[in-house]
Amino acid sequence: MIALLLTIVFSVLLLVNFRAHAKFNIDTRIAILLNYPVCFLTGYFHQMDAIPFHWPSTGYSLGILGIGIGFVITFLLSGYSTVKNGMAPTSLANNISLVIPVMVNLFIWKTGGELTVSVIAGLLLSFAAIYFCSPSGAGTTQKPVIWALVAVFVAYGITNTAFNYLNAAIVQQVGGSISFTLMLLLGSMATSAVVLAYWTFTGGVTWSLRSVLAAIPLGLPNFFSFYFLLKALDAYQQNGAVVLTIYNLGVILLSAFTALIFFKEQLTKKQWVGIGLGCAGIALIIL
């Protein structure tokens, strides 16, 4: 349970970083793409014997690099959708994507435990809570870009599903959670380098020292959110249905209270209903 709580806390710290970027005129795209080397170095210094890597078979190795690439793509899609559609629809598309790995765990891999009435009710309440906890988006006049919302949903769902599968299949074979995380980050760093080089030569980004330095406070919690998520999955015997549901709802709930306490963002009645449904859903799933 400690690992699950820690991954939720570090994930919320990522959102706090993004919340502060606008205030300090930081280009979030640069910070995101440069945070992966920071993640890698954090993991290396946390456990130096994680290198040299013990790569698995070719198929699994390509899968590891592919997930690393997927992490970057999902971040960039989320950023694009946020610009075009706003935070509310993008947040909803991101969070309800947990339906994909949860259902795969329950019905295909059969690692989600016994499908009891309590679990079904908990999942339904959890999905409802995610909807109610999402911002209302009232006042938005910009025409939504539907394909971007669909892409965010599919990309996050596929990436999280593949992440859970490879973690269950090969994490011990490659040397443990740290080694597995560092391998994933290789794909992310390579993708980030290509994207940054392209944007730099085409004038897509304007470099600044503050945007570069912002990668440090972003990369540190990003690594530990990965690391403790893996630890949580290990602690719950790779039960992604439980872990991912609690994780997603935990991030939503803690983010709501963090925004209320530190950023004075008031919750609507709809969001309070969502918090109540989320607590009930978590209780039904884990009892």
Side-chain angles (χ1 to χ4, degrees):
M1 181 60 73
I2 297 298
L4 187 52
L5 292 175
L6 285 173
T7 190
I8 291 171
V9 169
F10 282 115
S11 295
V12 172
L13 285 177
L14 291 176
L15 300 178
V16 172
N17 268 269
F18 292 141
R19 182 70 167 74
H21 284 178
K23 179 179 179 180
F24 294 101
N25 196 28
I26 290 169
D27 189 328
T28 300
R29 296 173 301 170
I30 293 176
I32 286 175
L33 293 173
L34 290 181
N35 97 93
Y36 294 108
V38 176
C39 286
F40 188 90
L41 291 174
T42 301
Y44 173 70
F45 286 116
H46 185 70
Q47 183 180 317
M48 293 187 180
D49 62 358
I51 300 177
F53 295 131
H54 303 288
W55 289 95
S57 62
T58 301
Y60 280 134
S61 295
L62 291 176
I64 290 173
L65 296 176
I67 294 174
I69 295 171
F71 287 151
V72 178
I73 293 173
T74 51
F75 264 121
L76 294 177
L77 281 172
S78 183
Y80 176 80
S81 181
T82 300
V83 171
K84 297 296 183 180
N85 300 306
M87 286 184 61
T90 303
S91 174
L92 182 61
N94 177 7
N95 288 312
I96 65 173
S97 69
L98 75 88
V99 171
I100 297 175
V102 166
M103 294 306 176
V104 168
N105 273 274
L106 285 172
F107 298 112
I108 298 178
W109 295 339
K110 308 296 184 181
T111 58
E114 186 180 354
L115 191 62
T116 63
V117 173
S118 176
V119 170
I120 294 174
L123 287 172
L124 292 175
L125 286 177
S126 299
F127 298 149
I130 291 170
Y131 168 75
F132 279 102
C133 283
S134 297
S136 64
T140 300
T141 59
Q142 189 172 358
K143 184 177 180 180
V145 181
I146 301 300
W147 73 261
L149 292 173
V150 174
V152 168
F153 172 82
V154 173
Y156 270 101
I158 291 176
T159 301
N160 286 332
T161 301
F163 175 84
N164 295 337
Y165 173 75
L166 285 184
N167 175 63
I170 63 171
V171 69
Q172 298 304 320
Q173 178 183 344
V174 301
S177 298
I178 296 290
S179 295
F180 181 61
T181 303
L182 294 183
M183 289 176 177
L184 294 173
L185 290 171
L186 288 179
S188 297
M189 288 191 296
T191 305
S192 296
V194 172
V195 173
L196 278 174
Y198 174 77
W199 279 347
T200 299
F201 286 119
T202 59
V205 294
T206 301
W207 288 84
S208 68
L209 180 59
R210 66 179 61 190
S211 296
V212 173
L213 293 178
I216 298 174
L218 186 62
L220 293 173
N222 197 11
F223 168 78
F224 286 111
S225 67
F226 278 123
Y227 175 69
F228 285 112
L229 180 58
L230 289 171
K231 289 295 186 182
L233 286 167
D234 288 341
Y236 282 84
Q237 289 78 48
Q238 310 306 322
N239 191 339
V242 171
V243 171
L244 290 175
T245 302
I246 297 176
Y247 167 76
N248 279 271
L249 283 169
V251 170
I252 291 175
L253 300 179
L254 184 57
S255 296
F257 285 111
T258 300
L260 177 64
I261 295 171
F262 294 102
F263 299 109
K264 309 304 179 184
E265 295 181 4
Q266 298 298 317
L267 295 173
T268 64
K269 291 181 180 180
K270 173 185 171 183
Q271 290 169 323
W272 281 116
V273 170
I275 288 175
L277 290 175
C279 292
I282 291 173
L284 287 172
I285 291 172
I286 65 178
L287 288 179

